[in-house]
Amino acid sequence: MNDGILLEARGIGKRYGPGCEQCTRLTGPQPGVNICPACGTVTALSDVSFDLHQGEILGIVGESGSGKSTLVQCLYFDLDASEGELRMANEADGGDLFGLTRARKRRVRGRRMGMVYQNPLRGLRMEITSGANVAEKLLEADVFHFHRIRDRAAELLACTEIPSQYMDALPRSLSGGMQQRIQIAKALANNPPLVLLDEVTSGLDVSVQARVLDLIRELQRERGMSMIVVSHDMGVIRLLADRTLVLKNGRVVERGLTDQILEDPQHPYSQLLVHSTL
């Protein structure tokens, strides 16, 4: 892995079904479908490759069904990739993370990754307090001292603008915007070099969206972490991402600097996405 690269993904694919020799040809952007008419296999992702540099924010954009959320779930080991390789700097001796045991994947995820889901129900346990949700992430990294855990949880919730009186509140009693900020606090608990964000502003009021995005940008600048931001909204990508991948039917159809893609998109699908937001 080259110096300065945190994450290296090569040929990632995700299929649901047996697959056949015609899947690659009969699915994707050109035919405009994900389901192989020959065998019925759903090709959610095919041959997705990229590098993520340290301190960089990579945007992944596409409409619903493009494969962007599937990709980030494969990177976080929520889903098992059907093919491909994933390498991370200073991890597993440079080997393929997809080939690790489930226990070792959980350890990598707990210590070196954070995740913020579109739906807080996936990222938070609603039956325990906000502080306890953050504490769960610390326990994954073998931090067991009660006072250290509580102090760290309070610090992170304060950083994400959760008032101290809500530390012992259940997330289900709080607003959607506050739930997302608790997820962000949880994702940052172990100072991970990589944070994944999956449609974090979807479903939030416009004013709340703006504050959450400002918070993400501010925290990323302060901590210098790398991020992968998944969104269908080009406005979110414009605000956050240094470089962008455009996905359609599970394939990358365009990649480049975000400003370049927004100002002069080359692929017809990228042009459609950009012009639909103007």
Side-chain angles (χ1 to χ4, degrees), residues 227-245:
M227 289 184 170
I228 295 178
V229 179
V230 169
S231 184
H232 67 280
D233 186 339
M234 295 300 287
V236 170
I237 297 300
R238 181 190 295 272
L239 185 67
L240 295 179
D242 302 305
R243 289 187 302 120
T244 295
L245 304 181

Side-chain angles (χ1 to χ4, degrees), residues 156-184:
L156 287 161
L157 291 170
C159 283
T160 53
E161 302 181 354
I162 301 294
S164 58
Q165 65 264 33
Y166 293 120
M167 182 169 173
D168 295 316
L170 298 179
R172 64 168 169 250
S173 68
L174 306 176
S175 68
M178 290 183 75
Q179 289 175 357
Q180 289 298 59
R181 293 202 294 275
I182 295 168
Q183 277 207 88
I184 295 169

Side-chain angles (χ1 to χ4, degrees), residues 96-122:
D96 176 21
L97 299 185
F98 288 153
L100 298 178
T101 64
R102 289 193 179 278
R104 288 197 66 190
K105 285 178 180 176
R106 284 195 299 270
R107 190 167 182 81
V108 171
R109 183 165 90 165
R111 288 174 171 268
R112 306 208 64 207
M113 298 181 183
M115 177 72 160
V116 183
Y117 294 92
Q118 175 180 355
N119 186 345
L121 289 172
R122 291 205 61 190

Side-chain angles (χ1 to χ4, degrees), residues 84-146:
E85 296 181 349
L86 183 69
R87 290 180 168 79
M88 192 174 195
N90 304 316
E91 195 60 58
D93 297 323
D96 176 21
L97 299 185
F98 288 153
L100 298 178
T101 64
R102 289 193 179 278
R104 288 197 66 190
K105 285 178 180 176
R106 284 195 299 270
R107 190 167 182 81
V108 171
R109 183 165 90 165
R111 288 174 171 268
R112 306 208 64 207
M113 298 181 183
M115 177 72 160
V116 183
Y117 294 92
Q118 175 180 355
N119 186 345
L121 289 172
R122 291 205 61 190
L124 299 174
R125 290 176 56 189
M126 296 295 171
E127 74 277 9
I128 64 175
T129 67
S130 303
N133 269 282
V134 178
E136 272 196 330
K137 192 71 172 177
L138 292 166
L139 291 170
E140 289 180 15
D142 302 329
V143 179
F144 299 119
H145 190 282
F146 174 78

Side-chain angles (χ1 to χ4, degrees), residues 246-258:
V246 181
L247 261 61
K248 178 172 172 54
N249 295 115
R251 271 77 161 184
V252 177
V253 296
E254 188 165 354
R255 68 180 72 224
L257 296 174
T258 300

